[in-house]
Amino acid sequence: MFSSTGSSGLYKAPLSKSLLLVPSAFSLLLALLLPQCQKFFLYDLQAVKNDFQIWRLICGRIICLDLKDTFCSSLLIYNFRIFERRYGSRKFASFLLGSWVLSALFDFILVEAVQYSFGITAANNLPSGFLAPVFALFVPFYCSIPRVQVAQILGQFAITNKTLIYILGLQLFTSGPYIWIVALSGFISGICYRSSVLKIQQVLYIPSWMAAFFAWTLEPIFSSSEPTNEARIGMGATVDIQRQQRMELLDRQLMLSQFAQVRRQRQQQGGIINWNRLFPPLRQRRNLNYQEGQHSEQASPPLEVSEEQVARLMEMGFSRGDALEALRASNNDLNMATNFLLQH
């Protein structure tokens, strides 16, 4: 219900898969078998500044030493894999590299600002791990992923397809006393890289030769096969049928979200909603093998509403007018009409 990242699995997301497997494996190894080696992966800016241990900027910002951070960041990376599918592995890796480098600079600035303003020394207490780029990915997630309401709690609080991701981010944000510094530097670096401040995208990026090298060497190791079936869209369906079913599912989610908003407004004003005017019937896709480039849609004739279905809705306590409008708006789908009336 909360999915906003397309089909399940890691198909066409080898970089996301590698970020899930490799750092998580090292985190478990350090926590369970090699706890004496954790000192080499501490993110200690005080040691970087005073002892010139520059290597901590790399080792301390890759592997999480807290298993809670490992779990939350892994779930977020899995959900953010949509950006690798949408933009490609090279552009996705460039964003991660840019935000990772920029966030190290902002970590220094924020730590010095906190020490100067409040007298709090946080340089040797920052959490380790690949956390700043994960927080940076919330910037394109907020800007480019549409918000679709899928449920409502107590009639006031909307649950959308993005709610669970924000809850995971909040859990990660509150996992430690000074992780807010890493989170804030991640947000700032994500905004800077997405906006290409000072043409940063032309400086911090993955060269084509490096992308080709890793595609030849590592992509076969971390690549995943294409999913053959998904229960949400129907097992055994062809590619065209799967595409059609995904579009129809999105149609239903969008219509449900729009209906909830308009019904609340109309209930405050009073009166009956003209559902046909607000929500045209779902697009009829009779030709499964449609050709790309043809986007014209013909208006469908008015639907005949079954009196039996109207009677069943009226038995549940709904008025005849609302029952008629709900059935027409939902293409005579009794289940969808019932959901409209019960949930709103």
Side-chain angles (χ1 to χ4, degrees):
M1 183 175 72
F2 299 97
S3 176
S4 62
T5 57
S7 60
S8 60
L10 291 162
Y11 176 62
K12 291 186 177 180
L15 178 57
S16 300
K17 186 176 181 179
S18 65
L19 291 175
L20 283 174
L21 297 180
V22 178
S24 299
F26 274 100
S27 296
L28 290 172
L29 183 66
L30 290 173
L32 301 178
L33 300 179
L34 299 173
Q36 67 276 10
C37 297
Q38 289 187 352
K39 60 183 179 181
F40 298 109
F41 296 91
L42 291 174
Y43 186 28
D44 190 350
L45 290 182
Q46 195 73 30
V48 174
K49 179 181 178 181
N50 297 337
D51 303 330
F52 299 101
Q53 297 180 3
I54 307 299
W55 53 272
R56 290 193 179 275
L57 290 176
I58 300 176
C59 296
R61 305 180 70 241
I62 295 179
I63 308 300
C64 289
L65 298 181
D66 191 334
L67 292 182
K68 298 191 302 296
D69 294 347
T70 302
F71 179 73
C72 290
S73 61
S74 297
L75 287 177
L76 289 171
I77 290 173
Y78 178 78
N79 283 278
F80 289 148
R81 73 197 186 282
I82 185 175
F83 297 116
E84 184 175 5
R85 291 175 175 171
R86 180 179 296 183
Y87 303 123
S89 297
R90 180 188 174 191
K91 191 171 182 179
F92 182 64
S94 297
F95 180 88
L96 294 178
L97 174 65
S99 60
W100 187 72
V101 174
L102 287 175
S103 60
L105 174 63
F106 290 123
D107 283 345
F108 270 106
I109 295 175
L110 290 174
V111 165
E112 293 297 326
V114 169
Q115 186 172 3
Y116 178 79
S117 302
F118 306 102
I120 300 175
T121 302
N124 55 352
N125 293 309
L126 295 180
S128 303
F130 196 71
L131 300 176
V134 173
F135 284 108
L137 284 170
F138 275 98
V139 176
F141 180 74
Y142 176 81
C143 297
S144 61
I145 301 298
R147 178 180 177 271
V148 179
Q149 179 176 324
V150 295
Q152 201 168 9
I153 299 178
L154 302 177
Q156 299 293 331
F157 304 100
I159 303 298
T160 71
N161 58 331
K162 303 170 71 172
T163 300
L164 182 60
I165 313 302
Y166 289 133
I167 292 176
L168 284 173
L170 181 62
Q171 172 65 33
L172 185 60
F173 184 82
T174 58
S175 64
Y178 295 105
I179 196 173
W180 65 270
I181 295 178
V182 176
L184 185 58
S185 66
F187 292 143
I188 297 174
S189 61
I191 294 172
C192 292
Y193 194 87
R194 180 179 172 83
S195 304
S196 192
V197 176
L198 300 177
K199 298 182 179 181
I200 196 66
Q201 292 184 6
Q202 300 179 13
V203 179
L204 297 175
Y205 68 96
I206 302 297
S208 57
W209 63 267
M210 185 180 296
F213 173 77
F214 284 114
W216 176 65
T217 56
L218 297 181
E219 185 172 348
I221 301 175
F222 294 104
S223 61
S224 299
S225 59
E226 182 177 3
T228 56
N229 54 64
E230 295 183 17
R232 188 173 296 183
I233 60 172
M235 298 179 61
T238 63
V239 174
D240 288 332
I241 294 176
Q242 291 177 3
R243 185 184 297 114
Q244 178 193 9
Q245 291 173 336
R246 287 194 185 98
M247 294 175 70
E248 288 178 351
L249 178 61
L250 181 59
D251 274 345
R252 291 188 181 95
Q253 291 179 338
L254 289 173
M255 187 163 60
L256 185 63
S257 176
Q258 293 171 354
F259 168 75
Q261 180 180 0
V262 175
R263 186 177 179 90
R264 288 195 299 270
Q265 295 174 355
R266 293 287 296 179
Q267 283 179 343
Q268 294 174 357
Q269 300 173 359
I272 300 177
I273 306 174
N274 186 353
W275 292 10
N276 273 342
R277 178 177 61 85
L278 294 172
F279 307 110
L282 294 176
R283 289 172 289 179
Q284 303 295 323
R285 301 181 181 88
R286 304 180 184 276
N287 184 11
L288 297 180
N289 297 321
Y290 62 92
Q291 297 180 353
E292 295 184 3
Q294 297 179 349
H295 302 287
S296 61
E297 297 181 1
Q298 299 179 352
S300 56
L303 294 175
E304 274 191 353
V305 178
S306 170
E307 288 296 330
E308 180 182 356
Q309 294 180 344
V310 174
R312 293 181 63 181
L313 290 175
M314 292 178 64
E315 289 175 358
M316 300 179 190
F318 304 114
S319 66
R320 178 178 177 82
D322 282 350
L324 289 172
E325 297 292 348
L327 290 170
R328 289 176 184 142
S330 60
N331 276 346
N332 221 11
D333 189 322
L334 181 61
N335 291 330
M336 189 183 299
T338 305
N339 289 335
F340 284 158
L341 294 171
L342 286 177
Q343 296 181 12
H344 307 88

